[in-house]
Amino acid sequence: MAQLARLGRRGRRGQRSLNPAAPLQPTAEQAARWRPWMGRALQLAALGQGRTSPNPMVGCVVLDASGQLVGEGFHAQAGLPHAEVGALRQAGARAQGGTAIVTLEPCCHHGRTPPCSQALLAAGMGRVVVAMVDPDPRVAGQGLAQLQAAGVEVIAGVCGAEARQLNRAFIHRVTTGRPLGLLKWAMSLDGRTALPNGSSQWISGPEARAWVHHQRGQVDAVIVGGGTVRADDPLLTSRGLGRREPLRVVLSRSLELPPQRQLWDQDLAPSLVVHGPEASAQGRQQLDQLGVERLELDPCTPLTVLEVLAQRGCNQVLWECGPTLAAEAIKQGCVQQLAAVIAPKLLGGLAARTPLGDLGLVDVNEAQQWDGQGLERLGPDWLWQLGLPPVDELC
């Protein structure tokens, strides 16, 4: 199949079929010409970090027919105008015959807002340059097909890798039906998360804790188990470092939870307790009296919890749980990224806690290989971020 990036004005003479699963590659000339403008569009898109779910982050730059910048926009929040609309409003009549550079294929369906493909056509755009096709089945190449059928020149695949990285959480949710999972823990140099007596505050320093608070402000939900609620009484907020507070999720099959916990304060951030059918009547009544939302799932597992969160529009979740739940989340494919904070301390103790419970491995060669994605200093500590190798390439 001919690549969309090479169609150019050929698309005006006959629409070609689109395959959103095939990576798009612009010609070298097209990539060189449009990369700087797409870089600016990606910068704009990133301004929506942490506020657009369930939508992706999108940025748009509009040039007039002579190539001069006349409009910019980004998707600031779900329910608000999309990036293309904001940029076109700024450009006004100057958009006629110009070029729109967009980080994601323009939508072509009616949701909370009208289709962006139609807005581009109404503005009289002569060319649309996109970084990647939208993997959402409601779009999946149809937006570009509409533009081509109307005689608009389409160039796709410019800065595609950067666009996929920016919206990796959105892509993961729409292609798997689950949010992207980030598992974080803090441990000593010898791999301990607590002393044998359970003491764990604080292994990491204030800089590392601030990094975690910032991450909470970027994700849609933070997940812990009942054991963490009982032992640590966590707050699980961004401490004001995020643009919004995440949904605080507790996975507790039995609902053996203390009545006095910070998570039950709904004025700070919303909480959701997910439990199994075996949950006690006392535990159910206690949460109902406290005004805490609860949800029964059968089975109540990390996987079923993520499926529910995806239906609620969560693109990314942060696992801040103990070793048993963390191991279950990994085994069920609920974790795609790791963030390990390593403190230059030695805790020792054969009975000391470690970040993960039993993964069920019997041979070291069965262990999953993770790719290092970055190593940085956070005060006295080190932050090591890793991710699973990509299974396939999305356009």
Side-chain angles (χ1 to χ4, degrees):
M1 184 193 76
Q3 299 295 339
L4 269 178
R6 305 180 191 277
L7 283 177
R9 299 188 182 274
R10 289 183 294 162
R12 305 186 180 191
R13 295 197 295 267
Q15 180 179 332
R16 304 208 179 183
S17 61
L18 303 179
N19 178 8
L24 303 176
Q25 296 297 328
T27 66
E29 179 182 358
Q30 290 169 340
R33 180 181 181 184
W34 299 113
R35 178 173 286 276
W37 288 116
M38 188 63 77
R40 173 57 182 165
L42 287 165
Q43 289 177 338
L44 292 168
L47 296 176
Q49 179 76 47
R51 294 184 293 173
T52 64
S53 294
N55 298 340
M57 292 172 279
V58 183
C60 178
V61 172
V62 173
L63 310 179
D64 64 16
S66 66
Q68 298 298 308
L69 176 65
V70 293
E72 292 185 331
F74 72 96
H75 186 41
Q77 184 176 323
L80 295 183
H82 289 186
E84 298 94 322
V85 174
L88 289 172
R89 285 176 179 172
Q90 195 176 94
R94 295 172 294 176
Q96 179 73 37
T99 301
I101 298 96
V102 195
T103 58
L104 186 69
E105 175 187 9
C107 65
C108 56
H109 62 282
H110 286 270
R112 297 189 191 180
T113 58
C116 291
S117 59
Q118 295 300 314
L120 293 167
L121 291 175
M125 303 306 306
R127 180 189 298 112
V128 174
V129 182
V130 302
M132 60 174 288
V133 170
D134 189 341
D136 189 325
R138 297 172 298 176
V139 186
Q142 298 177 72
L144 297 183
Q146 286 184 5
L147 296 172
Q148 290 176 336
V152 176
E153 179 183 0
V154 171
I155 299 172
V158 177
C159 298
E162 293 91 332
R164 291 189 292 273
Q165 175 64 18
L166 178 67
N167 275 312
R168 62 191 182 279
F170 167 77
I171 294 170
H172 185 82
R173 180 183 63 79
V174 299
T175 55
T176 69
R178 301 187 299 273
L180 187 78
L182 168 62
L183 171 63
K184 86 75 184 169
W185 66 74
M187 66 182 184
S188 63
L189 190 60
D190 55 338
R192 308 312 198 207
T193 59
L195 292 172
N197 65 4
S199 175
S200 63
Q201 296 183 345
W202 293 100
I203 290 178
S204 58
E207 295 86 354
R209 296 197 294 275
W211 180 86
V212 173
H213 297 156
H214 177 74
Q215 290 301 304
R216 291 174 185 166
Q218 303 299 307
V219 302
D220 301 303
V222 179
I223 306 175
V224 297
T228 297
V229 175
R230 290 187 291 271
D232 299 338
D233 188 18
L235 186 57
L236 302 182
T237 67
S238 71
R239 308 298 200 276
L241 296 182
R243 295 183 175 129
R244 60 177 177 132
E245 296 298 345
L247 174 66
R248 302 174 298 178
V249 180
V250 179
L251 198 163
S252 174
R253 295 184 178 90
S254 63
L255 286 187
E256 294 179 2
L257 302 171
Q260 303 297 327
R261 281 298 179 264
Q262 297 183 96
L263 289 178
W264 311 151
D265 186 348
Q266 303 295 289
D267 292 331
L268 294 175
S271 295
L272 169 67
V273 179
V274 184
H275 61 83
E278 68 272 28
S280 67
Q282 179 181 354
R284 297 169 190 252
Q285 183 180 23
Q286 174 179 281
L287 290 175
D288 293 343
Q289 291 175 343
L290 291 169
V292 178
E293 182 184 6
R294 62 177 179 83
L295 175 66
E296 179 178 318
L297 292 179
D298 186 12
C300 181
T301 66
L303 186 59
T304 57
V305 169
L306 287 197
E307 290 172 347
V308 167
L309 293 179
Q311 294 169 5
R312 291 187 174 213
C314 293
N315 282 341
Q316 185 170 15
V317 301
L318 175 62
W319 295 90
E320 290 199 56
C321 48
T324 301
L325 181 54
E328 283 301 312
I330 290 177
K331 287 192 291 185
Q332 294 183 26
C334 298
V335 176
Q336 288 71 46
Q337 295 179 299
L338 302 175
V341 174
I342 306 171
K345 301 174 181 178
L346 298 175
L347 298 186
L350 293 178
R353 289 178 60 183
T354 57
L356 295 177
D358 186 11
L359 291 175
L361 302 176
V362 296
D363 187 328
V364 71
N365 294 308
E366 298 176 356
Q368 171 70 56
Q369 183 73 38
W370 295 76
D371 289 342
Q373 297 179 340
L375 185 65
E376 60 179 298
R377 286 292 295 270
L378 296 176
D381 307 317
W382 285 95
L383 169 65
W384 193 13
Q385 299 188 71
L386 306 98
L388 287 174
V391 176
D392 51 25
E393 187 77 359
L394 288 169
C395 58

